Amino acid sequence: MTEVFDSLRKEIEAESLDSADAVDSFRIRYLSKKQGKITDLMKGIKDVSPGERGTYGQGVNELKTLANAKIKDAKTKLGSSASDQRDIDLSLPGRAPKMGSLHPITQTRHLINRVFESYGFTVEEGPEIEDDWHNFSALNFPADHPARDMQDTFFIEPTDLEHGGIMLRTHTSPVQIRTMKDGEPPFRIIAPGRVYRNESISYKSYCLFHQVEGLFVDEGVTMADLKQILHAFAQTIFGDDVQMRFRPSFFPFTEPSAEVDIWWNDESLPGGGRWLEILGCGMVHPNVLEAVDIDSEKYTGYAFGMGIDRIAMLRYGIDDIRILFENDERFLDQFA
Ligand code: PHE
């Protein structure tokens, strides 16, 4: 028995603990609960005859004290609590935390909001799940009218003629209805948000995109006011010499209606550029005003709806809308 203790003592004394790693493996070899040599000896005490257990226990304890003292010694020599610090180089420069950035859509939405806020518009919001009345009927889409097919709809509860349906909003125009229903004219609001359409997905259309609705209702509002505000907007976003045109169009909720294009200069295009549609607009249809109990003899208004994604793509030179929804860091990092 004593030979075992003696040889283990010699073995321990011969160990040289000259690095944090050496200290660690020493501790494991002799003291770890599972495989330590001293621990094993301690476990063996049950096989020792009762009369010898006292000396045996004492012998094991001496080895343990010896091993612990050696570890303590080595740690002091290597610097305090060497094993905790072995990977730390205090002279290394710090790691910069990775900063997030605003999505290009968010940046563009903020920009659009700022422009219209500077003209006295306030920002409104509405739900993304809408009922038939707000999304279609109150906006002068007759039931069963083909105009409803202009916007392929994701239904949550299908439309039946008696009760209407529940759907993901196909445009931000229902916020016009909610705003006018809840207040008294004049109204001067914009309403940015997500909209959904059941379209086939390609580089230029996605099932989800973003719009900003605009609405101005007061006494004596005319189409000239609409043109003036949209021109000022386009100048702020695309530069003072922006060229824009109003093209006659159709929306059930505006009369007359127009689509607005801007001339997009691009050397790579034949002829130096092309007209790009950026929004739809028009004078609020009297039926819409009447649907929300506003006297259409007294009040007139204009409304517009523009695609934020389209404007972001123009500003940043993005040619595939799908990349806006992929959350690829390699893309997003470029907008920090
Ligand atoms: N809601 C229309 C669309 O999504 C855009 C629009 C808004 C047109 C307001 C006229 C007035 O296509």
Side-chain angles (χ1 to χ4, degrees), residues 13-266:
E13 279 166 351
E15 296 271 6
S16 82
L17 303 187
D18 50 5
S19 73
D21 281 341
V23 171
D24 249 18
S25 67
F26 174 86
R27 190 182 47 73
I28 291 166
R29 211 161 341 116
Y30 293 97
L31 295 167
S32 82
K33 283 214 176 72
K34 274 209 189 114
Q35 61 190 58
K37 288 182 179 180
I38 297 176
T39 323
D40 283 349
L41 276 182
M42 198 58 168
K43 284 179 193 155
I45 198 166
K46 62 183 187 309
D47 303 325
V48 176
S49 65
E52 291 179 13
R53 279 191 191 160
T55 9
Y56 187 94
Q58 210 179 344
V60 177
N61 273 334
E62 276 167 13
L63 288 175
K64 214 170 162 178
T65 315
L66 175 68
N68 278 326
K70 213 168 148 100
I71 291 176
K72 202 174 163 203
D73 241 37
K75 282 190 173 176
T76 324
K77 270 187 206 128
L78 290 168
S80 61
S81 63
S83 72
D84 298 338
Q85 288 200 355
R86 74 201 132 112
D87 288 336
I88 299 179
D89 177 352
L90 293 174
S91 65
L92 278 179
R95 283 196 200 112
K98 205 163 154 37
M99 296 294 277
S101 60
L102 294 178
H103 193 282
I105 301 245
T106 308
Q107 295 191 26
T108 308
R109 191 187 70 219
H110 287 171
L111 175 69
I112 296 171
N113 284 0
R114 270 206 306 281
V115 175
F116 284 105
E117 279 172 332
S118 76
Y119 292 117
F121 287 71
T122 53
V123 178
E124 294 288 338
E125 275 181 33
E128 289 174 24
I129 296 177
E130 269 295 7
D131 54 51
D132 184 89
W133 190 76
H134 288 93
N135 197 78
F136 288 128
S137 299
L139 287 162
N140 197 36
F141 285 81
D144 262 355
H145 190 278
R148 289 184 187 226
D149 297 340
M150 284 166 72
Q151 304 180 345
D152 297 308
T153 309
F154 285 116
F155 286 100
I156 292 170
E157 286 169 22
T159 304
D160 72 64
L161 291 182
E162 243 173 277
H163 307 100
I166 306 288
M167 64 211 64
L168 295 178
R169 67 178 177 191
T170 57
H171 51 178
T172 43
S173 300
V175 187
Q176 290 186 34
I177 301 299
R178 290 182 178 275
T179 306
M180 291 193 283
K181 198 92 184 100
D182 288 351
E184 295 291 325
F187 300 104
R188 197 201 288 254
I189 62 117
I190 55 168
R194 290 191 197 107
V195 303
Y196 301 84
R197 287 190 203 173
N198 191 2
E199 285 176 11
S200 50
I201 290 168
S202 74
Y203 71 94
K204 58 180 177 180
S205 63
Y206 198 66
C207 50
L208 147 72
F209 57 102
H210 302 77
Q211 290 187 330
V212 177
E213 193 79 8
L215 175 73
F216 181 32
V217 175
D218 201 348
E219 291 179 46
V221 178
T222 70
M223 192 110 184
D225 299 314
L226 173 62
K227 289 186 87 165
Q228 184 266 331
I229 196 91
L230 291 179
H231 190 235
F233 167 77
Q235 282 187 314
T236 315
I237 302 278
F238 299 112
D240 278 347
D241 47 3
V242 67
Q243 287 186 67
M244 64 191 295
R245 69 175 183 192
F246 281 66
R247 209 165 15 84
S249 186
F250 172 78
F251 300 102
F253 36 93
T254 46
E255 181 58 37
S257 303
E259 279 171 313
V260 171
D261 304 331
I262 57 156
W263 180 251
W264 193 250
N265 264 319
D266 187 337

